[in-house]
Amino acid sequence: MKTEIKTYNPFNGNQLDTYKLDSKDDLKDKLDLANKTFGEWKNLKISKRVKLLQNLANEIDTNKAELSELITKEMGKPILESKAEIEKCTLLIDFYIVNADQFLQDDIIETEAHESFISYDPLGCILAVMPWNYPFWQVFRFAIPTLTAGNVALLKHASNVTGCAIAIEKLFIDAGFPKGCFQTLITDHNGIEEIMEDEIVKAVSLTGSEKAGRKIAEIAGKNLKPSLLELGGNNACIILKDADLDKYMDTIFKARMQNSGQSCIAAKRFIVVEEIYDEFIKKFKSKVEGLKYGNPIEEDTTISCLAREDLADILEEQVKKSIDLGAEVLYGNQRDGSNYQPTILTNVSSEMPVFKEETFGPLAAIIKVSSENEAYETASNSKFGLGTMVFTSDYESATKRISEIEDGAFFINEMVKSDPRLPFGGTKISGFGRELSKEGMLAFVNKKTIYINK
């Protein structure tokens, strides 16, 4: 029986640390502490919760270098991108410092009653199951609005970023949040079902794979508990014939290669109208050739290893099967352990894995189409529904196509990205529910109807 978790640096394979798994008694103690803390936390004035948010932002800023290095060592993100991830967490906190009080105000509804309104009451203890690819950002975009709304949180993080999970809990404690307000569970997936079934846990938020989402939703449904699922994506990036490639190529390129391609909202299918196809291929390939592979801890490294070797195995198999079906390698397709060379595939068609499936790594699948209509039809041909991006000089025409795309996001002349000010989430097998903005703050509250007559 597994009793510990070991973490490794994916770039060099060196072991980083060993963590003892929580026993059943440890987990029960954490659940009980969360429940006890909630009884006090939910009654704390919003102004005091917001003050703690400022303390948290200060703690993050003070420890930015150390936290960034931890991300890079545990999952291989280039260090400059790790720093950017930490900085984005403070921007998120700043947003809720300014807006939390307003978001949680009662909504007055005019009826024939003397007074009627909607109040927003916290649910209680919320379980978060989070992934490794943005180990701080994805936890914070759940935790900040959820805690500020008056809930308490338990985190089950991906095992390969256990150090990040512990560091996050320490940040909350050092910022002055009550003990038990945010706790990390050191457990495996086998322990999650039992935790979810405990009556103390009132809801669950998952960012992860479709497979994990189905399992979590099944357990939550069986126990009549709300769930919020942020799952995989296979985002289309449509390049229309009037796209300004000189202006937007850096954005288009970043949309695929950021975080070594390990992002659910990355551009994965490049759908290019034939009039601009050759120009696009030339400029995109030049950008790929300019990437500097190396140790992610070095600041001049722009792309590095994948977070685990099995991820490279999966990507390699997807590429191989697609080549067998007729895809052509324009660039790359070399692999050594967890190191996967940035790769461009052309002649991609809809029956290939690199078109149908989510590809998690530095792979660009290029699809040539004959017209704008075909471009939108091809983009819509997906079981995923996280986001679509369109590059065109005629943005007004693109806005008329918004309803044709069923995704949770539609970005024109910009890469799909999460922004604290805007709701974030998907449709179809990309999940349901919304994080961030006011929507994220109200994700785990009881929207209570109040009706008063004299």
Side-chain angles (χ1 to χ4, degrees):
M1 184 177 177
K2 190 176 180 182
T3 59
E4 61 185 21
I5 292 172
K6 294 181 179 179
T7 56
Y8 297 87
N9 184 322
F11 179 73
N12 55 30
N14 293 341
Q15 184 177 330
L16 296 171
D17 218 328
T18 301
Y19 303 92
K20 181 183 175 184
L21 287 175
D22 288 336
S23 66
K24 284 193 173 184
D25 287 342
D26 293 331
L27 294 174
K28 182 58 179 171
D29 287 345
K30 289 182 177 182
L31 283 164
D32 289 341
L33 178 59
N35 194 43
K36 179 178 180 296
T37 302
F38 174 64
E40 303 163 359
W41 178 250
K42 68 179 180 180
N43 294 316
L44 195 67
K45 289 183 178 179
I46 184 65
S47 60
K48 293 186 177 180
R49 291 187 213 140
V50 168
K51 185 176 180 180
L52 289 173
L53 287 184
Q54 186 59 65
N55 293 349
L56 182 62
N58 294 340
E59 285 293 327
I60 293 172
D61 188 59
T62 299
N63 296 283
K64 181 171 68 174
E66 177 185 343
L67 300 174
S68 303
E69 187 173 319
L70 179 58
I71 293 173
T72 293
K73 285 183 175 179
E74 285 200 321
M75 56 77 56
K77 190 192 302 286
I79 189 65
L80 291 183
E81 293 186 13
S82 295
K83 291 177 179 178
E85 179 176 341
I86 295 299
E87 290 166 357
K88 190 172 183 179
C89 291
T90 59
L91 290 176
L92 169 78
I93 294 169
D94 290 343
F95 172 77
Y96 284 106
I97 287 173
V98 172
N99 294 288
D101 184 55
Q102 174 195 341
F103 289 164
L104 294 171
Q105 289 292 316
D106 295 342
D107 279 346
I108 306 300
I109 308 294
E110 293 295 333
T111 69
E112 61 273 17
H114 169 68
E115 189 177 358
S116 52
F117 58 93
I118 302 168
S119 69
Y120 300 105
D121 299 345
L123 296 181
C125 178
I126 314 299
L127 173 66
V129 182
M130 292 289 140
W132 47 265
N133 56 333
Y134 289 90
F136 274 75
W137 168 248
Q138 286 169 314
V139 172
F140 274 85
R141 78 181 187 194
F142 152 78
I144 299 307
T146 301
L147 293 178
T148 309
N151 298 292
V152 296
L154 296 172
L155 169 65
K156 162 60 182 82
H157 218 328
S159 60
N160 60 325
V161 290
T162 299
C164 290
I166 291 172
I168 292 170
E169 179 177 346
K170 185 176 185 300
L171 285 169
F172 279 98
I173 292 171
D174 291 348
F177 281 74
K179 189 177 180 182
C181 198
F182 182 98
Q183 297 177 86
T184 288
L185 307 178
I186 311 299
T187 187
D188 54 23
H189 292 292
N190 294 330
I192 291 299
E193 182 167 358
E194 189 172 339
I195 293 165
M196 284 185 62
E197 290 179 339
D198 194 291
E199 65 179 10
I200 290 173
V201 172
K202 302 304 182 186
V204 61
S205 177
L206 167 80
T207 299
S209 67
E210 174 196 348
K211 180 180 178 181
R214 291 183 184 277
K215 183 63 176 176
I216 291 293
E218 178 186 350
I219 300 169
K222 184 175 66 174
N223 290 277
L224 295 178
K225 296 180 180 181
S227 60
L228 189 158
L229 305 179
E230 300 288 359
L231 308 179
N234 191 12
N235 288 6
C237 180
I238 298 172
I239 312 295
L240 298 181
K241 65 181 181 180
D242 61 349
D244 189 338
L245 296 183
D246 289 330
K247 183 176 182 179
Y248 291 116
M249 182 51 71
D250 284 346
T251 301
I252 294 167
F253 176 73
K254 184 179 179 182
R256 172 67 273 195
M257 296 300 171
Q258 182 176 254
N259 203 27
S260 299
Q262 300 169 115
S263 173
C264 58
I265 56 174
K268 299 187 174 84
R269 297 175 297 146
F270 292 87
I271 300 167
V272 187
V273 174
E274 59 186 357
E275 288 95 331
I276 203 173
Y277 181 83
D278 291 340
E279 182 187 358
F280 174 82
I281 286 289
K282 179 182 177 181
K283 291 182 176 180
F284 190 85
K285 182 171 180 281
S286 176
K287 296 292 294 183
V288 173
E289 291 171 336
L291 285 167
K292 184 181 185 303
Y293 176 84
N295 189 332
I297 207 69
E298 296 173 359
E299 291 201 353
D300 61 345
T301 292
T302 53
I303 198 162
S304 192
C305 59
L306 300 188
R308 299 191 314 264
E309 189 167 340
D310 65 296
L311 298 167
D313 290 335
I314 295 168
L315 185 60
E316 184 177 48
E317 184 65 18
Q318 290 172 312
V319 170
K320 181 181 182 301
K321 288 181 178 179
S322 297
I323 292 172
D324 290 344
L325 289 170
E328 299 174 359
V329 179
L330 178 69
Y331 183 87
N333 197 33
Q334 299 297 313
R335 181 260 175 114
D336 179 18
S338 63
N339 303 311
Y340 201 99
Q341 184 184 15
T343 299
I344 303 173
L345 289 186
T346 59
N347 200 35
V348 171
S349 55
S350 60
E351 75 275 10
M352 297 175 183
V354 297
F355 182 98
K356 296 188 299 182
E357 301 172 6
E358 180 174 35
T359 53
F360 230 62
L363 168 72
I366 315 293
I367 303 101
K368 182 195 290 188
V369 295
S370 60
S371 66
E372 179 177 322
N373 285 336
E374 187 182 358
Y376 282 101
E377 289 170 4
T378 303
S380 298
N381 181 16
S382 177
K383 61 183 180 178
F384 295 91
L386 200 50
T388 293
M389 56 206 87
V390 179
F391 288 86
T392 175
S393 293
D394 188 359
Y395 72 89
E396 291 182 343
S397 291
T399 62
K400 297 175 183 177
R401 299 275 193 166
I402 292 173
S403 62
E404 297 178 26
I405 302 294
E406 297 177 355
D407 294 5
F410 189 93
F411 279 52
I412 300 172
N413 294 327
E414 182 56 274
M415 60 186 280
V416 174
K417 56 187 177 180
S418 52
D419 183 318
R421 298 165 294 184
L422 299 168
F424 178 84
T427 62
K428 298 187 276 189
I429 69 165
S430 291
F432 49 77
R434 292 296 181 266
E435 294 185 307
L436 303 175
S437 73
K438 182 177 181 177
E439 297 290 327
M441 177 145 273
L442 302 184
F444 297 112
V445 298
N446 173 23
K447 298 172 183 176
K448 183 182 294 181
T449 297
I450 312 299
Y451 193 98
I452 303 170
N453 273 332
K454 287 185 178 181

